[in-house]
Amino acid sequence: MPKLLILGAGTAGTMAANLLRDRLDDHWSITVVDRDDEHHYQPGYLFVPFWMEPERVVRSRSQFLPDGVAMCRAEVDHVDPQARRVLLADGTALDYDWLVIASGSHPRPDLVPGVADGPLWRDTVHDFYTLEGATALKEKLRTFKRGRLLVHIAEMPIKCPVAPLEFAFLVEDHFRRQGIRHQVDITYVTPLDGAFTKPVASATFADLLDERSIRLAADFAVDRVDTGARTLNAYDGRALPFDLLVTVPPHTGARFVSESGLGNDMGFVPVDKHTLRSVEHERIFALGDASDIPTSKAGSVAHFATEMFVDNFIAATQGRPLPNSFDGHANCFLETGRGKALLLDFNYDTQPLTGTFPVPGVGPMSLLRNTRRNHLGKLAFEQIYWRMLLPGRRLPVPLQMSMAGKKPA
Ligand SMILES: Cc1cc2nc3c(=O)[nH]c(=O)nc-3n(C[C@H](O)[C@H](O)[C@H](O)COP(=O)(O)OP(=O)(O)OC[C@H]3O[C@@H](n4cnc5c(N)ncnc54)[C@H](O)[C@@H]3O)c2cc1C
């Protein structure tokens, strides 16, 4: 009986388990390992500080796994690719014939001095990239009525690179609705040379920040938080004072990836960016945020790549050439506040373009335009995620980026 092990039952691991159970013969054994039974809808973390109740983003993982897939609730400790064995923290060893690493990327507030180890953590220094952090920030925003607010990205890559911008726009809207916007000074602080990684989108977002009177501090390579002076300090000597710092910490892959010698220096698994197969170990694939592919770490990428991966995986197990070539397709909604959102569609080689999505010329969503319909699309995505994406149902969207009806901004 060939054995497939999937490490991680998040977005990519759950999708892979559903899609592969459908396609592989019954004699295949499929086991998914995750440390707990709480699947989080992470895009919901953005809304928790404002209006979404924290409980709403959590559901049981096992309910999204199909019959014929075993769920093993345990911490992965180590992978031995030579022995084709995974060791769990409780000492159990699981042998595999094929391995899928889908263990995600993880915010590491401990990597910036003065953040997690300082007295201001979860007091005046917050994050919203964990449910705990987003919930604490919700409480903080209830009482924060005036002062200097920094919305900060420590370094790239982070998951959902547009989420910090979305937070900046939503928090601006939050203060405006309360009639206290004039009492809060907001600065968006980024290590990038502009508001975003992609030049066209970067210019659009810089204009929006300017329109909302949100300052932009770019090229900010963070050194530490000075907890005494309450400043965010950069290596170039800049020190930005704050009364509230909302930071997105550096991200790394899962610890076991690095400790098993399977990761790059950030703990992400080097794979062929088109096939998702490990460059070093032919019986290992990496999906979702866990891999080092040069596109956004996003649920949409996990979705498109995992669907493309299935045929490649089956071909690999049969010793055939891998048929599918993933193009790095990413599709990201960007909430801009005031009930509107932008939508970006891009891949490894193509910058975000204007046009409509998913149907050329029809939409209903508009690319790179700030519309109410895009905002409704973002809200609708929550149900699509639970009901269609995780169970592996085919969505009516192109897996590869389509160029039909699109043009440069
Ligand atoms: C604030 C925020 C907003 C976002 N908004 C969007 C958005 O609007 N659109 C979008 O497309 N994406 C968005 N994302 C990103 C998206 O949620 C992730 O890219 C996606 O969940 C990645 O899926 P994954 O399967 O790779 O990792 P995950 O879903 O994180 O799953 C990884 C799994 O591995 C498990 N694991 C890790 N290490 C171990 C171990 N040692 N032992 C056992 N189990 C382990 C974890 O428990 C977890 O369940 C957002 C993320 C955040 C934080």
Side-chain angles (χ1 to χ4, degrees), residues 8-13 33-35 42-43 45-46 61 74-76 102-104 106 128-129 159-160 163 254 256 287-290 297-300 302 331 378:
T11 312
V33 185
D34 206 300
R35 55 167 66 102
Q42 297 176 40
Y45 296 171
L46 172 70
R61 293 187 195 284
E75 179 80 24
V76 176
S103 43
H106 306 280
F128 66 98
Y129 264 54
K159 47 189 157 187
C160 196
F256 76 82
L287 298 176
D289 295 354
K297 294 200 178 298
S300 61
N331 188 260
K378 170 120 182 168

